[in-house]
Amino acid sequence: MKKVIVVGGGLSGLSTAVFLANKGIKSHLIEASPKLGGRTYSFNENDFQTEIDNGQHILMGCYKYTFDYLKTIEAFDRVEFQKNLNVNFVNQKGEINKLSGDKLFYPFNLLIGILRYKALSVKERISILNFFLKILITKPNIYRNCTTLELLKKFNQTENSIKSFWEIIHVGTLNTELKLSSAELFIKILKIIFFTGNQSAKIVLPKLGLSKVFIEKAVSYLERNGTVISLSERVTDFEINEGIIKKVVTNKREIVNFDKVVLSVPQFALNKFDSITESLNIDFELKYSPILSVHIWLNENPFNEKFYGLIDSDIHWIFNHNKHVTLVTSSAERFMNQSEDEISEKFIKELETRFSDFNKNKIIGLKIIKEKRATFIPSVETEEKRLNLKRMFGNLIISGDWTNTELPSTIEGAIKSGFLAASEIKEEY
């Protein structure tokens, strides 16, 4: 029986081990921290006896690899699909503008949904539909050297269209500013979401904390299938001879009995291994974008919907968990050096402005989480580097959401990278 070492227990490494186990290949998963999941995890807030996420995630119905992973570990019932695309967007006046695709069959339901989206003028709605029709027949690589903002301006999207529609989609999928991201990648994502069936555009939300959805049952599945998991063990070096990894060195031991190594760590962590980066010709450094999450506990919950999108706001999303709500701001660089008092004062005032039934007296607790390296920024330069990145060298395979997945830095990108790594190994067995 061949042996595989998987280094890194984030979603990429974890999914690599899961997909290998599903193919009958056992692996040894080594993680430096005392937990699995990387940035995707939840924990108990003891003061309120609540499990909260490190960062709330929206999933989309087009997350093929994510749902295959959840089905494999028997956790698919821990997420909830919308019947059809349905989002309540709240403007600065507190008015709710629905973007809904529930009237007709696909794709006319999405077309009618955009035409009825009253945050935009009729002319702006038609302009958006024209944009969609053009990119439907456009090859994304035509805009390889173009930013998303340049793309939108090229197709005459107005400032209001950008603020009330495009920024919301963009920041939710790429977690960065329009002026920084690759238009090629954005077009690819739009094609997947809106042009691959009615299921793809649906929003999917976890029913439980992220650890219970993505990690808990994965561990059980791996243990049942003979995968060894070692936590709190850090890989410190690799011994390479004639292009083949012969030894994996950790802070606890040396491992020599293996056939393949999957290195599934963030790009900045990979740079600690000079021999690996030189072999794979990795000569770039990713820039990262933070996400800010504000958890608010309430003595009385005035929110009626499961989630809201906010138009032209420092708060991008509100998620309603009944006992508490989570406010999420993507691309949150401007808040990283602000104090918790400054952030909470600004966000509470924003809620009071937009929701007449909300006031600060309803708040009984608040917790702020700053994830400074939440996602990498998919710039034009970064996407070109990712496109040309080698994933294999000798008996080494690289995985991670930052590798060439043709997806942004999302749960789906991480899990797809794990699938690709597992598939490479299977082909040789």
Side-chain angles (χ1 to χ4, degrees), residues 98 100 102-103 111-119 125:
K98 285 186 176 290
S100 177
D102 60 356
K103 298 297 181 183
L111 184 150
I112 296 300
I114 292 172
L115 286 175
R116 291 180 175 176
Y117 182 47
K118 294 182 180 179
R125 297 174 222 172

Side-chain angles (χ1 to χ4, degrees), residues 386-403:
R386 290 177 75 204
L387 187 65
N388 297 312
L389 180 68
K390 287 173 60 180
R391 273 207 312 269
M392 296 185 64
F393 176 78
N395 62 340
L396 171 70
I397 299 171
I398 302 293
S399 71
D401 64 359
W402 59 275
T403 59

Side-chain angles (χ1 to χ4, degrees), residues 38-238:
R39 291 158 291 166
T40 305
Y41 67 93
S42 51
F43 60 95
N44 289 319
E45 178 53 49
N46 293 327
D47 290 344
F48 298 97
Q49 297 183 335
T50 309
E51 184 176 16
I52 61 175
D53 294 331
N54 178 53
Q56 175 77 48
H57 287 269
I58 285 181
L59 311 178
M60 298 298 299
C62 55
Y63 277 24
K64 173 188 181 303
Y65 298 95
T66 300
F67 301 137
D68 284 349
Y69 168 83
L70 292 177
K71 289 173 183 176
T72 300
I73 65 173
E74 299 179 355
F76 188 61
D77 60 344
R78 297 188 174 191
V79 295
E80 181 177 4
F81 284 71
Q82 289 185 319
K83 184 177 180 181
N84 288 289
L85 174 65
N86 192 354
V87 186
N88 292 287
F89 291 110
V90 185
N91 64 19
Q92 291 179 324
K93 297 178 181 179
E95 299 167 335
I96 292 181
N97 299 274
K98 285 186 176 290
L99 180 61
S100 177
D102 60 356
K103 298 297 181 183
L104 297 168
F105 57 87
Y106 174 85
F108 298 103
N109 58 338
L110 299 180
L111 184 150
I112 296 300
I114 292 172
L115 286 175
R116 291 180 175 176
Y117 182 47
K118 294 182 180 179
L120 306 173
S121 70
V122 173
K123 185 177 180 180
E124 288 168 335
R125 297 174 222 172
I126 293 172
S127 179
I128 286 176
L129 289 177
N130 285 334
F131 175 86
F132 273 120
L133 290 174
K134 287 173 182 175
I135 67 165
L136 176 61
I137 59 174
T138 296
K139 293 183 178 180
N141 61 4
I142 293 175
Y143 297 99
R144 178 159 295 169
N145 299 316
C146 181
T147 69
T148 302
L149 183 59
E150 290 169 342
L151 174 74
L152 295 175
K153 288 186 174 180
K154 177 179 176 63
F155 285 97
N156 302 314
Q157 299 301 296
T158 67
E159 290 300 317
N160 183 51
S161 295
I162 290 172
K163 284 186 177 295
S164 302
F165 186 78
W166 293 116
E167 278 189 355
I168 297 168
I169 294 175
H170 181 270
V171 79
T173 53
L174 301 186
N175 188 38
T176 192
E177 299 177 61
L178 291 160
K179 66 182 181 181
L180 297 178
S181 69
S182 161
E184 179 184 14
L185 182 61
F186 189 55
I187 291 172
K188 288 178 181 177
I189 297 307
L190 291 178
K191 283 175 172 280
I192 292 171
I193 293 174
F194 292 102
F195 299 127
T196 56
N198 191 49
Q199 179 87 345
S200 296
K202 296 177 183 178
I203 288 176
V204 183
L205 294 176
K207 295 179 183 178
L208 305 170
L210 293 176
S211 292
K212 284 188 168 60
V213 175
F214 290 97
I215 314 304
E216 185 178 80
K217 286 211 165 186
V219 171
S220 300
Y221 177 82
L222 291 173
E223 290 175 344
R224 287 198 309 272
N225 286 276
T227 298
V228 177
I229 300 173
S230 297
L231 301 178
S232 300
E233 182 171 2
R234 183 178 301 277
V235 171
T236 58
D237 201 5
F238 298 94

Side-chain angles (χ1 to χ4, degrees), residues 9-56:
L11 274 188
S12 175
L14 194 61
S15 60
T16 299
V18 165
F19 288 127
L20 284 174
N22 193 43
K23 295 174 183 294
I25 302 172
K26 295 180 181 180
S27 62
H28 185 166
L29 178 62
I30 303 173
E31 165 58 33
S33 77
K35 68 172 183 63
L36 296 170
R39 291 158 291 166
T40 305
Y41 67 93
S42 51
F43 60 95
N44 289 319
E45 178 53 49
N46 293 327
D47 290 344
F48 298 97
Q49 297 183 335
T50 309
E51 184 176 16
I52 61 175
D53 294 331
N54 178 53
Q56 175 77 48

